[in-house]
Amino acid sequence: MSNRQISTKQQHKQYGIFYHSVNLSIMTSSFNKKGLHMKYKGIIFDLDGVICHTDKYHYLAWKQLADKLGIYFDEKINNRLRGVSRMDSLEIILENYNGSLTATEKENYSEEKNNIYKRLLEDMSPSDLSKEVKDTLDQLKEDGLKLAIGSSSKNARYILEQLGLEGYFDAISDGNNIEKSKPDPEVFLKACEYLGLSPKECLVVEDAKSGLEAAIEGGMDQAAIGDAVYTQLATYDLATFSDLLKCIR
Ligand code: G6P
Ligand code: MG
């Protein structure tokens, strides 16, 4: 079942969610088992900042390394690291470094940061997964949607395990299966491939500008949450995670 969506740049409000634009595309829509019309067949979630809040751990780990190297680092710089791979994050931090590092030193420092980060992740548990997020994910599954993770992190599977979500998602595309991190669309295109769906059949949920840009480039619709809302780039802006349920019908 498909329907042609008419191009419009008009912003309008529906169910309390702002639609910035409607894609100039032929969207494939479908009906689920309960006969409900679904706009998407799959949802791809960024992990850090969407499903859970590991940003604070990334900040603490990078801060410890930056302090050791005498590099100025604050929360504002940390925000630029969202969705960006570990090595690219180090390069951003090194913008404030008066000196140069060899490739091996960079490898060693990024590993050092990761060891600090992983020690902090040990404290994560299923109690770090909010009820709202879990209930919404369960409802989306109930509605027949396929769910995937699309994260630049190489620690994504460990984080999911810590949250009690091991084996929960239909597909995981993460830092271990990509060459380029967001804003390159590779991580989301791989997630679509793993789900067996086309980009047009999927919605991406993101808290980072780099992630929204990746989804736009990849040809998926996007739902922004958290700070990503201020970019005004996304198809939908979510005030809260459960608003997602209003975007899919
Ligand atoms: C996510 C986070 C980034 C982080 C990246 C790599 O995208 O938003 O801040 O740099 O993952 O994480 P990793 O766990 O592989 O160091
Ligand atoms: Mg994120």
Side-chain angles (χ1 to χ4, degrees):
M1 188 81 186
S2 69
N3 69 300
R4 179 181 288 274
Q5 293 211 334
I6 307 300
S7 165
T8 171
K9 283 288 173 194
Q10 271 183 331
Q11 290 188 5
H12 57 278
K13 206 179 175 191
Q14 191 179 334
Y15 308 120
I17 294 181
F18 286 102
Y19 291 66
H20 294 307
S21 64
V22 177
N23 277 353
L24 229 190
S25 62
I26 299 169
M27 276 185 51
T28 306
S29 55
S30 62
F31 290 88
N32 72 0
K33 278 187 287 188
K34 295 178 208 157
L36 289 170
H37 175 257
M38 294 285 132
K39 280 193 214 159
Y40 305 98
K41 290 186 180 171
I43 310 211
I44 305 170
F45 296 89
D46 171 50
L47 182 60
D48 297 314
V50 172
I51 301 288
C52 59
H53 297 284
T54 42
D55 326 35
K56 57 184 181 219
Y57 300 134
H58 278 296
Y59 172 74
L60 289 172
W62 282 125
K63 178 75 179 146
Q64 204 168 309
L65 182 73
D67 285 352
K68 178 179 156 171
L69 295 174
I71 301 172
Y72 179 77
F73 181 65
D74 62 15
E75 305 247 6
K76 202 172 160 210
I77 301 171
N78 192 58
N79 283 343
R80 287 177 58 202
L81 310 183
R82 287 190 200 175
V84 176
S85 73
R86 200 180 306 159
M87 279 311 274
D88 290 347
S89 298
L90 179 63
E91 292 297 345
I92 292 173
I93 288 163
L94 290 176
E95 286 171 11
N96 289 311
Y97 184 57
N98 295 323
S100 66
L101 296 177
T102 64
T104 311
E105 283 170 328
K106 287 179 187 176
E107 276 296 336
N108 292 342
Y109 283 131
S110 76
E111 196 183 323
E112 189 174 326
K113 178 267 172 180
N114 193 47
N115 289 335
I116 303 167
Y117 178 60
K118 283 208 302 208
R119 276 200 297 279
L120 294 167
L121 291 180
E122 281 171 17
D123 287 342
M124 277 189 104
S125 73
S127 65
D128 288 298
L129 179 67
S130 81
K131 186 176 182 321
E132 180 188 3
V133 169
K134 183 61 167 57
D135 288 351
T136 305
L137 292 173
D138 286 346
Q139 185 60 55
L140 294 169
K141 270 198 172 189
E142 177 81 3
D143 283 344
L145 286 146
K146 286 189 182 175
L147 308 185
I149 290 291
S151 164
S152 303
S153 175
K154 292 187 173 169
N155 293 300
R157 284 175 196 269
Y158 178 57
I159 295 167
L160 290 170
E161 219 176 276
Q162 292 296 81
L163 293 173
L165 290 175
E166 193 184 0
Y168 185 89
F169 289 88
D170 298 294
I172 295 172
S173 172
D174 65 18
N176 297 298
N177 59 254
I178 54 170
E179 297 290 323
K180 296 178 197 148
S181 69
K182 302 166 190 174
D184 190 280
E186 186 181 8
V187 74
F188 294 138
L189 292 173
K190 283 269 165 60
C192 291
E193 188 188 318
Y194 298 160
L195 287 177
L197 298 174
S198 72
K200 273 284 143 243
E201 292 172 318
C202 295
L203 174 69
V204 165
V205 188
E206 258 294 347
D207 73 315
K209 186 171 182 243
S210 61
L212 291 180
E213 289 168 344
I216 293 166
E217 180 69 21
M220 303 106 196
D221 275 1
Q222 331 83 40
I225 192 159
D227 286 353
V229 163
Y230 304 117
T231 65
Q232 300 276 296
L233 286 175
T235 319
Y236 316 98
D237 286 336
L238 309 181
T240 185
F241 194 86
S242 57
D243 278 349
L244 206 45
L245 299 172
K246 301 170 190 165
C247 307
I248 57 168
R249 300 205 178 117

